Amino acid sequence: MSEFSLYKRLSLELNRAVLSLRADEHHLHQLFWECTLRCNINCRHCGSDCRVVSQQKDMPLEDFAKVLDDIRLHVSPYDIMVITTGGEPLMRGDIAECGRAITMRGFIWGMVTNGMLLSEEKLEELVKSGLRSIAISLDGFRDDHNWMRGHSESFDRATNAIEALKQHKGLTWDVISCVNKRTIGYLPEFCDFLIKKGVPKWRLFSVFPSGRAVNEPELRLSNEDFVKMMDFIKLTRLEGKIDVSYACDGFLGNYEGEVRSRYFNCSSGVNVASIRADGAISGCLSIRSDYNQGNIYADSFWEVWEKRFEKFRNRKWMRTGECRECKVWRFCQGNGMHLRDGNGNLQMCQYKMIKGANV
């Protein structure tokens, strides 16, 4: 552990203790609802491989509402954020009704969207239905964003949505960007663009080999590119002009505590659960291998949450392969669940990328 300063080692040890306690208690804080697999764009990095016309029908609101009613019997809904996602949630004609049903049951309602359908009128309707938080995707300047999203109007629609978001002062919102080989070179310029647009928070992430991204090598950063992104985030956070951070996935070695507001933890199955479009109960929706723990059409969600999820909460089984002798296993605990394939093999290691960079 000599690579870490005394302060960082102590911070990592404290974080480790906190994560162990959280896994034991497993209080549910976020519930993602994959309310549709339909989508109106064709993203190169899509993990769920959504289509404009999905073979999987949208889950009826009444089916998801039963899950919320089940949860309310056991814990306070005011402590849980329900995030509607997809696919593209705004493809549902009843999305505002869904939001009202979530809000009326006492839950906090949030959304992740590509912004294509987020007009001022639609946003006003969503806010009146209880929307409290929203994340919008914007991956770079016009040509690169449209290339990534597979739609010639995506950039303009997303930036128009940002203008609409700025008008709602009580709404919590941020921009999410997928950094790739096309955009890594102009992050400072894009950051200035977002600041001028009035974006308060900016989350960056990098593609991992899942879904369509498996066949898109241009999306994946080299080790050197990844470190370049880490250094950019670290410097930008110090400047304080925009609240920027790296996404939750991956243990980042010496960058821990410097590129995020907290140290690494994978909350999937610990504080975060998901209901997939087909009713499957899982951790976070970034997981594309089969780590489902049940299905709402056959099981009580709350019983599944309380009695299953052992693979998520005790991750000693991950200490195989390259993780077996890893010196930072103590703090990493096998990385994010979404980075494991169906056989439990690690598909990507951010710490290894950082150590392997020739910078």
Side-chain angles (χ1 to χ4, degrees):
M1 298 302 168
S2 58
E3 67 179 280
F4 300 127
S5 67
L6 176 60
Y7 172 79
K8 187 147 293 184
R9 286 202 308 273
L10 291 173
S11 298
L12 288 168
E13 288 289 356
L14 177 60
N15 185 62
R16 178 174 176 270
V18 170
L19 296 184
S20 178
L21 179 62
R22 284 175 54 192
D24 289 342
E25 295 179 340
H26 52 267
H27 296 309
L28 182 64
H29 294 319
Q30 284 187 329
L31 178 64
F32 286 87
W33 178 27
E34 191 177 56
C35 64
T36 182
L37 280 180
R38 291 180 293 146
C39 193
N40 48 7
I41 55 178
N42 189 31
C43 299
R44 293 178 180 271
H45 65 304
C46 182
S48 55
D49 201 26
C50 303
R51 303 293 182 185
V52 173
V53 179
S54 173
Q55 293 181 349
Q56 175 64 51
K57 294 182 179 180
D58 295 354
M59 180 182 290
L61 171 58
E62 55 266 29
D63 294 352
F64 182 67
K66 291 177 183 177
V67 174
L68 299 182
D69 291 336
D70 183 16
I71 295 172
R72 292 172 67 211
L73 294 174
H74 304 278
V75 292
S76 170
Y78 300 103
D79 297 328
I80 300 171
M81 171 169 278
V82 176
I83 302 173
T84 50
T85 183
E88 169 51 47
L90 293 178
M91 292 287 284
R92 286 187 67 125
D94 66 343
I95 191 63
E97 181 184 349
C98 294
R100 281 192 294 272
I102 294 167
T103 302
M104 287 175 61
R105 285 169 168 79
F107 295 86
I108 303 169
W109 176 37
M111 176 185 293
V112 179
T113 177
N114 59 38
M116 287 288 291
L117 300 175
L118 194 63
S119 63
E120 292 183 11
E121 295 76 16
K122 175 57 70 174
L123 181 58
E124 185 69 29
E125 180 186 15
L126 298 176
V127 171
K128 289 180 178 178
S129 299
L131 185 70
R132 297 271 297 278
S133 175
I134 189 166
I136 189 165
S137 299
L138 190 66
D139 299 310
F141 290 120
R142 179 177 281 103
D143 289 346
D144 292 329
H145 175 83
N146 289 345
W147 170 82
M148 171 73 92
R149 298 288 163 172
H151 197 292
S152 61
E153 297 180 18
S154 181
F155 179 85
D156 291 335
R157 297 276 192 92
T159 51
N160 287 341
I162 288 173
E163 292 301 318
L165 288 168
K166 288 159 56 177
Q167 307 307 313
H168 290 271
K169 303 302 181 184
L171 190 63
T172 299
W173 62 280
D174 65 353
V175 164
I176 307 175
S177 298
C178 177
V179 182
N180 56 74
K181 288 185 180 297
R182 288 187 172 217
T183 59
I184 185 66
Y186 62 72
L187 289 180
E189 292 80 6
F190 190 59
C191 180
D192 290 340
F193 169 79
L194 295 178
I195 292 171
K196 290 177 181 176
K197 279 285 184 183
V199 173
K201 297 180 66 176
W202 184 27
R203 278 182 288 162
L204 285 72
F205 72 99
S206 50
V207 163
F208 58 95
S210 177
R212 297 177 193 169
V214 171
N215 300 314
E216 292 282 354
E218 194 172 0
L219 295 179
R220 298 197 289 275
L221 299 177
S222 67
N223 295 347
E224 290 72 23
D225 288 338
F226 190 80
V227 169
K228 184 177 182 178
M229 177 172 62
M230 293 296 102
D231 288 336
F232 164 76
I233 295 173
K234 179 179 176 180
L235 177 61
T236 305
R237 286 175 65 85
L238 290 172
E239 291 175 345
K241 295 180 180 179
I242 187 172
D243 184 357
V244 62
S245 63
Y246 183 63
C248 61
D249 61 316
F251 178 75
L252 304 173
N254 264 313
Y255 288 103
E256 287 296 325
E258 299 179 352
V259 296
R260 289 185 285 230
S261 58
R262 54 177 175 75
Y263 281 70
F264 171 70
N265 73 86
C266 177
S267 295
S268 182
V270 176
N271 304 118
V272 176
S274 297
I275 306 297
R276 298 192 184 277
D278 63 358
I281 302 168
S282 186
C284 76
L285 285 173
S286 293
I287 298 172
R288 287 298 153 189
S289 299
D290 186 5
Y291 288 101
N292 298 335
Q293 301 297 296
N295 193 293
I296 66 168
Y297 293 112
D299 307 294
S300 158
F301 171 84
W302 193 254
E303 286 188 10
V304 170
W305 177 252
E306 284 293 288
K307 298 179 181 179
R308 302 185 195 177
F309 283 92
E310 176 66 15
K311 276 186 174 290
F312 293 78
R313 296 167 189 167
N314 183 349
R315 304 193 181 188
K316 292 180 180 179
W317 63 273
M318 288 184 175
R319 196 162 191 177
T320 59
E322 61 187 291
C323 294
R324 182 179 295 277
E325 304 300 329
C326 182
K327 295 180 180 180
V328 299
W329 164 266
R330 182 177 184 83
F331 307 129
C332 175
Q333 296 287 301
N335 220 319
M337 281 289 292
H338 67 291
L339 298 176
R340 297 276 165 172
D341 66 17
N343 296 317
N345 300 312
L346 185 63
Q347 298 176 286
M348 177 181 176
C349 176
Q350 290 88 346
Y351 174 76
K352 187 176 179 180
M353 292 178 70
I354 292 168
K355 300 295 288 186
N358 296 313
V359 294

